[in-house]
Amino acid sequence: MAAIEDSPNIGKVLGQRLRTVGIDTREKLEAMGDADAFRRLCARFPEDACIHTRLALAGAVRGIRWHDLPRDVQADVTRGLAR
């Protein structure tokens, strides 16, 4: 199993927060999906309810840097979030 920080876009701080909400491996994040992981994070850390965290998780689940997400995916996953 790969450590959560081995995922693209997941640094030390976000990795620790994910661990706090029970997501400690890349495989768990992929199985849960980025939308559910984001909801879980925001319930525990409301300050993480931002566009950058959402994009980071979407990219991590797909195994790519969030900057490389197609524009339509970026728009879809961030719909309704404050810019």
Side-chain angles (χ1 to χ4, degrees), residues 18-71:
L18 287 165
R19 288 175 187 283
T20 299
V21 298
I23 306 168
D24 59 351
T25 66
R26 185 175 184 161
E27 292 81 5
K28 284 184 184 179
L29 177 60
E30 290 171 355
M32 175 175 289
D34 52 283
D36 286 341
F38 184 69
R39 280 191 282 280
R40 190 180 283 196
L41 261 183
C42 292
R44 176 68 174 84
F45 301 100
E47 66 274 16
D48 276 349
C50 72
I51 212 167
H52 295 106
T53 299
R54 184 65 179 94
L55 288 169
L57 292 170
V61 165
R62 292 163 177 82
I64 60 173
R65 296 286 300 154
W66 74 263
H67 301 280
D68 296 328
L69 288 167
R71 294 281 178 204

